[in-house]
Amino acid sequence: MRTQVGIVGAGPAGLLLSHLLHLEGIRSVVLEARSREYVEQRVRAGVLEQGTVELLTDTGLGDRLHREGLVHHGVELRFEGEGHRIDLSALTGGRTITIYGQQEVVKDLIAARERDGGDIRFEVEDVAVDGLKTDRPTIAFTHDGEHGTLECDVIAGCDGFHGICRPSIPAGELTEYDRTYPFGWLGILARAAPSSDELIYVNHPRGFALSSLRSPEIVRLYLQCEPDEDVDRWSDERIWEELHTRLATTDGDYELTEGPIFEKGVAALRSFVVEPMQYGRLFLAGDAAHIVPATGAKGLNLAVADVRRLSEGLVQLFGSGRSDLLEDYSRACLRRVWRVQHFSWWMTSMLHRFGDDRYQHKLQISELEYVTSSTAAATTLAENYVGLPL
Ligand code: FAD
Ligand code: PHB
């Protein structure tokens, strides 16, 4: 088998890359370890930056996104029992974020690739990349019990943090930077009307909480927990009780609406970057190259920014044979990656409970007071949150 771009992974990065390349007449094959049902149901991100929405819209993926996505103009920071609104739009010249589940983006992308005759193979096994330093790199895999080899011009490693592409690069070629946090998030989806129109990020003495949503009927709520928390220790009653405690306001005006919980999961928080994001003809994009803690709502958006750049480099390569954009891919991506790393680390540091560190808690409150009272500080949060220009 032969294609121009072999893509490992059908998450947002791999699927969007395949779609962008198709629009430019470049052929690709996507190889995905999981089933289609699995990737379409996997519950993850929910916040799209305006730049992400614009890119999806401009490339024909905006129909359902604009029908079902919820446009937000602000977020709330809640601490010491009081809410403070950050007016994202007023602080950024009218920019917004859109609430639209990552799995909805994935469904739209798969539908578009299917409509356009795209080649996505689900449930492939034994994926292995080779010949990365040649101009004919290959991907070996097993599909439906048969071995195959895909010969490519370029390979895109879009296989997430636990994929095989990054570990296929010889030891010593990459530098890794990482930070793990002494906590994770317990996330739920529940059938209930949102208690607030906007997202609420809470710094509470018992730990961080986040109130988000997916639709006027479905809420997405998170609680800071142990990094290896056993989700079975959290009955629905315990989850609601803890959410009530952490989200409560001193004036008692806030009322959290409960409803049946239909999804529960724990995710660890981590920061991770690998440099460079390229080895020969293998280009890493999205979570395969970097992870951010979810507090900044950036992971999906960063994956989109990567593949946009990668597709531009590939268009140049296949169009004119020039490779200066591709050679600059890693450097250009990493500038945004590190900005987003800092923002996500900062939001995480400001909002979570760090054990019994009372000094840190005092610093957090001071910083939150500053961010919610100084236009300069609030603007820093707002312009990073809505996303810096692509
Ligand atoms: P992935 O989505 O991980 O896709 C990689 C794909 O590769 C997967 O389908 C996987 O099955 C496949 N794969 C792996 N190994 C192989 C292999 N060997 N062969 C073939 N295929 C393979 N981001 C935001 O922007 N905003 C948010 O609000 C947000 N909230 C989050 C909340 C939670 C609880 C979590 C966990 C994450 C959140 N993120 C958020 C992060 C976001 O979900 C990720 O950054 C995003 O999924 C990255 O996309 P990706 O395509 O790079 O990787
Ligand atoms: C979500 O809705 O899943 C969500 C929102 C904001 C975040 C992280 C996750 O920072």
Side-chain angles (χ1 to χ4, degrees):
M1 278 170 68
R2 159 119 204 96
T3 192
Q4 288 174 291
V5 183
I7 300 174
V8 186
L15 291 167
L16 179 61
L17 179 63
S18 180
H19 175 67
L20 296 178
L21 294 176
H22 163 73
L23 297 178
E24 298 289 342
I26 298 170
R27 282 171 288 116
S28 67
V29 175
V30 182
L31 301 172
E32 165 61 47
R34 302 287 193 157
S35 68
R36 175 172 179 171
E37 295 65 41
Y38 185 91
V39 301
E40 287 190 341
Q41 298 307 322
R42 189 164 43 195
V43 177
R44 289 172 116 182
V47 176
L48 305 185
E49 293 176 359
Q50 182 163 325
T52 299
V53 171
E54 284 165 0
L55 177 68
L56 295 174
T57 307
D58 293 347
T59 58
L61 295 162
D63 285 1
R64 200 162 67 94
L65 168 58
H66 289 285
R67 251 193 343 266
E68 297 177 15
L70 304 168
V71 176
H72 283 199
H73 298 272
V75 292
E76 182 179 325
L77 298 180
R78 194 172 280 187
F79 55 98
E80 299 200 308
E82 224 183 282
H84 304 260
R85 183 167 189 265
I86 303 284
D87 192 332
L88 298 173
S89 295
L91 293 162
T92 60
R95 296 182 79 76
T96 60
I97 52 160
T98 299
I99 307 299
Y100 191 65
Q102 175 169 323
Q103 74 268 37
E104 307 308 324
V105 176
V106 164
K107 279 181 210 159
D108 294 347
L109 279 163
I110 293 175
R113 291 310 294 124
E114 202 168 46
R115 180 196 64 210
D116 297 337
D119 190 347
I120 309 175
R121 317 263 168 118
F122 292 97
E123 298 179 80
V124 299
E125 294 172 294
D126 311 322
V127 176
V129 296
D130 199 11
L132 303 177
K133 280 289 195 185
T134 71
D135 56 9
R136 282 282 180 279
T138 55
I139 313 178
F141 63 96
T142 308
H143 191 226
D144 288 339
E146 284 193 29
H147 294 295
T149 302
L150 181 62
E151 206 183 63
C152 327
D153 294 303
V154 169
I155 297 175
C158 302
D159 50 349
F161 184 66
H162 299 289
I164 55 95
C165 287
R166 191 180 68 253
S168 305
I169 299 173
E173 295 288 340
L174 301 178
T175 309
E176 295 184 355
Y177 303 85
D178 67 353
R179 176 143 308 182
T180 51
Y181 300 89
F183 39 73
W185 282 14
L186 171 73
I188 62 156
L189 282 170
R191 226 166 283 290
S195 311
S196 158
D197 292 340
E198 295 181 339
L199 270 61
I200 308 171
Y201 288 85
V202 191
N203 176 310
H204 188 275
R206 291 177 62 86
F208 170 77
L210 169 60
S211 164
S212 181
L213 66 162
R214 285 294 177 273
S215 74
E217 295 87 34
I218 294 176
V219 289
R220 176 80 169 142
L221 300 158
Y222 296 97
L223 285 167
Q224 177 180 350
C225 61
E226 295 303 318
D228 54 355
E229 188 74 56
D230 177 3
V231 74
D232 294 335
R233 289 181 51 239
W234 287 83
S235 65
D236 294 5
E237 296 68 39
R238 183 176 172 208
I239 291 174
W240 287 118
E241 197 184 313
E242 195 61 34
L243 284 165
H244 280 293
T245 304
R246 296 192 197 177
L247 280 154
T249 52
T250 313
D251 62 15
D253 279 355
Y254 176 80
E255 254 181 70
L256 175 65
T257 319
E258 294 187 19
I261 296 175
F262 60 94
E263 147 84 33
K264 236 184 247 186
V266 170
L269 267 67
R270 84 179 331 138
S271 299
F272 174 84
V273 182
V274 76
E275 290 190 1
M277 290 166 59
Q278 174 194 6
Y279 175 73
R281 286 282 180 125
L282 170 65
F283 293 83
L284 302 175
D287 278 17
H290 41 69
I291 298 279
V292 282
T295 330
K298 288 284 167 247
L300 167 61
N301 295 293
L302 202 50
V304 168
D306 286 352
V307 297
R308 184 191 150 134
R309 269 197 190 280
L310 185 52
S311 71
E312 285 168 1
L314 292 167
V315 168
Q316 187 196 45
L317 178 76
F318 292 116
S320 69
R322 277 176 42 207
S323 59
D324 43 294
L325 283 182
L326 272 184
E327 278 154 25
D328 195 42
Y329 168 75
S330 176
R331 188 206 59 81
C333 284
L334 284 165
R335 281 197 60 191
R336 186 182 191 85
V337 167
W338 280 109
R339 175 87 299 282
V340 166
Q341 286 287 334
H342 179 267
F343 177 68
S344 304
W345 165 85
W346 176 61
M347 289 284 282
T348 303
S349 307
M350 186 166 63
L351 289 162
H352 290 74
R353 174 182 163 152
F354 285 76
D356 291 324
D357 192 339
R358 289 186 300 162
Y359 180 80
Q360 167 110 0
H361 184 68
K362 285 289 188 183
L363 290 183
Q364 289 177 335
I365 299 302
S366 168
E367 187 156 37
L368 283 162
E369 279 172 351
Y370 182 53
V371 165
T372 53
S373 60
S374 149
T375 305
T379 305
T380 295
L381 190 150
E383 66 183 13
N384 281 278
Y385 197 83
V386 301
L388 292 162
L390 276 171

